[in-house]
Amino acid sequence: MVSGLLTVASQTDLLWVCAALSDADRTAAKAAPGGRLDLDGRERAAGAGGSAVLMLDIPAATFASAYNAVANSTLWFVHHLLYELPRQPSFGPQFQAEWEQFRDYNRAFALALAGAAPGSGGPARAVVQDYHLSLVPRMLADERPDIRIAHFSHTPWAPPDYYRVLPDEVGREVLEGILGADHAGFLCQRWADAFADCCEAILGAEVDRARQRISYRGHATGIGVHALGVDAAELSARAAEPDVAQRLTELAGGRKLIVRIDRTELSKNIARGLAAYRELLASRPEWHGRVMHVAFAYPSRTDLASYREYTAAVQDLAAEIEAEFATPDWTPLVVRVDDDYARSLAAYRAADVLLVNPIRDGMNLVAKEAPVVSDRGCALVLSREAGAAAELGQAALMVNPFDISGTAAALHEGLAMDDDERTRRCGELAAAAGAMPPTRWFADQLAALDGPG
C-alpha cells in the first residue's frame, strides 16, 4: 500500500496525513512549520508547492491499543479469517478500553483532515486509506459535511457470518464508519460484495447491487472496485540497477528456482508453502539437485508475540527441510528473514516459479511484480484466496492454500512447464499487472468520488 501511495504522492499535489512512528518523526514534525514535511521527511520550505506530509503525534498508549491491539490483532484477524475460533477471540473489559483508544486514534485523523481541508475554492476531497481508519469517514463527515470523502480497504472483507465474531456494537460502528464516506473502494468485487452483505445483514442497509450503492440513514455510499497494479516502467528500471544485478549472480547457479517474497505475516501462509515444497521433494525425487527454493521474508509486526512465534516456526520448518534433503553439493532451500529489496527484485528476475499462496489477501502485489521484471518468464502458483486471482487466475496455476498436496503438484507443473507456455503465461500476467498503475488507481477513486451519487 505504501509503495503505491508514494508513487501517487510524487506525481500529485496532496497532503498525506499519517501517524508519527518514532521519536525522530515527532521531533521533525514539531520543528516543521505547521507540522508539515516534504515527502522525504525533510522540513518543508515556506510556500513550497507539491505534496506534503502531516505527521500526527498520537500518544504512544493510544497508538499501541488502536494499531496493534485493535487494527492488527482484531480487525486484521477478522478480515483474513485467522482466528482459531474455539479458543479465540474473547472480548472483555480490556478490549472495550482498547476500542475507546481506537476511536481516539481515528478521531485524531478526522480532526486533522477537517482542519487541513480548505474551506473555500471548491469542495475538498479526502481519501482515507485502509481498515485501521475505518471510523474516520463518519467522524469527518460529521465535522465537515462539505468534504467529499472516499474510503479504500486494502484488506479482504469478511463475510457476515465471520464478521459477527466482533462485538455487535463494534461491528456496527465499523460499517457505519465507512458508510460515512461518499465512496467506498475495494480491491476486487468479492471483497466489495462481502462488505455490502455485511451492511445488509447487520445494519439493515438498503443495497442496490445494480447501481453499486448502499443507502443508510439517508446517505448513499457508492461502492467501487479499484484493482491496484504496479508501475511497470518504474519497477523494470529499478530491477535493472547494478545492486540488483549483483544479487542476481548469487542466486540458483543454473538450477530451477522457486521464489516467494512475503512479509512474515500469518495470512501469507509461508509454513504451508514450505510444507508443499517438502512434499514436492519427497514425491518427485527427479528434482533433487535440480531445484532450489528461496523464501525471502520481510519482518512484520515483530512487537506481536503471535508473529514472532510464527516466524520462529517457519525458520524451524526450513531447518528440518534442509536437514532432510541437503547434500554437500546441493542446498535445496534458502530462507532469509530480513529486509533487502534489491535481493527480492533479483529473485523476481531469476524465478522459474513464483509461489504466492496466502490464506486470504486483499490483493497481493508480489504476484503482479515478478511477471513484470522476469528475465525468462515465470510460472505463477497463486492462491485462489488472493484478490489478485480475479485478474491473474486465467494465466496462473491456481491452488487451494490449505491443500499442501495440491500446491506441491502445482509447483511441479510450473517447474516442468515448457518455455513457450511459461513465456506466454508470464506475458499475460505482466499485461494484467501493469493495467492499473498506482496513479491511475488513485485517479479512478477520485473520479468515482466526484461522479454522480
Side-chain angles (χ1 to χ4, degrees):
M1 180 185 79
V2 173
S3 60
L5 290 175
L6 279 172
T7 301
V8 170
S10 67
Q11 301 178 28
T12 308
D13 286 352
L14 55 80
L15 177 64
W16 187 337
V17 180
C18 62
L21 298 180
S22 66
D23 291 340
D25 286 347
R26 296 182 182 92
T27 299
K30 288 175 181 176
R36 300 190 185 193
L37 305 168
D38 284 330
L39 290 178
D40 60 6
R42 293 181 294 185
E43 184 173 328
R44 190 167 176 76
S51 295
V53 174
L54 174 61
M55 286 188 179
L56 305 183
D57 188 1
I58 308 286
T62 300
F63 183 90
S65 291
Y67 194 69
N68 290 330
V70 175
N72 289 344
S73 297
T74 303
L75 297 181
W76 181 274
F77 273 59
V78 168
H79 288 316
H80 290 83
L81 315 186
L82 292 177
Y83 280 122
E84 186 183 352
L85 291 179
R87 305 198 326 167
Q88 54 177 311
S90 297
F91 298 113
Q94 179 177 341
F95 179 78
Q96 293 170 15
E98 291 165 345
W99 185 253
E100 287 294 335
Q101 300 274 48
F102 185 75
R103 285 196 188 110
D104 291 343
Y105 176 82
N106 277 253
R107 190 173 295 110
F109 278 86
L111 294 176
L113 289 167
S120 60
R125 299 175 294 183
V127 181
V128 181
Q129 297 292 317
D130 224 4
Y131 68 104
H132 62 290
L133 297 176
S134 54
L135 306 185
V136 168
R138 178 71 272 154
M139 292 175 171
L140 179 56
D142 289 343
E143 291 287 330
R144 290 285 302 271
D146 58 308
I147 296 178
R148 295 284 291 172
I149 304 167
H151 182 276
F152 192 86
S153 294
H154 290 265
T155 65
W157 198 274
D161 285 349
Y162 201 93
Y163 187 82
R164 292 182 192 274
V165 166
L166 289 169
D168 291 353
E169 289 306 310
V170 168
R172 293 179 64 89
E173 191 171 348
V174 169
L175 296 172
E176 290 172 347
I178 293 177
L179 290 181
D182 300 289
H183 181 76
F186 299 87
L187 286 164
C188 69
Q189 191 64 51
R190 181 180 178 187
W191 311 143
D193 289 343
F195 174 77
D197 290 344
C198 285
C199 291
E200 189 172 51
I202 293 168
L203 297 181
E206 179 184 342
V207 177
D208 185 335
R209 298 182 189 275
R211 299 176 64 192
Q212 291 284 281
R213 286 163 49 107
I214 300 176
S215 299
Y216 181 67
R217 294 184 175 176
H219 177 75
T221 301
I223 303 299
V225 174
H226 311 280
L228 177 61
V230 301
D231 185 325
E234 181 181 282
L235 185 64
S236 296
R238 179 65 185 89
E241 291 291 328
D243 59 340
V244 178
Q246 171 60 37
R247 285 160 177 77
L248 194 58
T249 65
E250 303 165 2
L251 292 171
R255 294 185 172 95
K256 293 276 191 177
L257 195 65
I258 299 172
V259 168
R260 78 172 303 135
I261 310 291
D262 273 317
R263 292 181 296 114
T264 54
E265 155 60 49
L266 303 181
S267 66
K268 299 300 184 183
N269 207 24
I270 299 172
R272 287 192 185 90
L274 292 179
Y277 180 63
R278 183 185 218 165
E279 181 168 332
L280 171 74
L281 297 182
S283 62
R284 300 278 185 173
E286 65 266 29
W287 290 115
H288 290 196
R290 298 176 54 211
V291 66
M292 176 186 286
H293 181 20
V294 296
F296 297 149
Y298 288 71
S300 179
R301 299 173 183 169
T302 54
D303 47 353
L304 298 179
S306 58
Y307 282 76
R308 295 194 301 271
E309 292 164 3
Y310 184 73
T311 301
V314 164
Q315 291 171 316
D316 289 345
L317 177 55
E320 291 177 11
I321 295 171
E322 184 71 8
E324 184 175 354
F325 293 103
T327 66
D329 58 354
W330 175 47
T331 301
L333 175 64
V334 175
V335 175
R336 297 284 185 269
V337 180
D338 57 6
D339 189 343
D340 189 332
Y341 184 52
R343 183 185 62 194
S344 295
L345 290 174
Y348 283 164
R349 287 181 55 184
D352 294 286
V353 177
L354 179 73
L355 175 59
V356 179
N357 67 321
I359 293 169
R360 196 169 167 87
D361 215 329
M363 172 57 64
N364 196 289
L365 285 179
V366 167
K368 295 186 170 186
E369 290 171 343
V372 168
V373 301
S374 174
D375 285 351
R376 302 189 299 277
C378 67
L380 172 63
V381 175
L382 179 63
S383 167
R384 68 190 186 191
E385 300 303 317
E391 301 164 84
L392 307 182
Q394 292 298 313
L397 302 173
M398 301 302 297
V399 296
N400 174 347
F402 302 98
D403 184 353
I404 291 170
S405 296
T407 303
L411 291 175
H412 170 72
E413 183 179 353
L415 289 170
M417 188 178 293
D418 69 66
D419 292 345
D420 288 344
E421 181 178 1
R422 193 173 66 247
T423 300
R424 176 187 64 78
R425 285 175 178 259
C426 188
E428 292 178 12
L429 294 168
M436 185 65 72
T439 49
R440 181 180 168 190
W441 165 80
F442 192 73
D444 278 7
Q445 290 177 68
L446 293 180
L449 182 59
D450 293 339

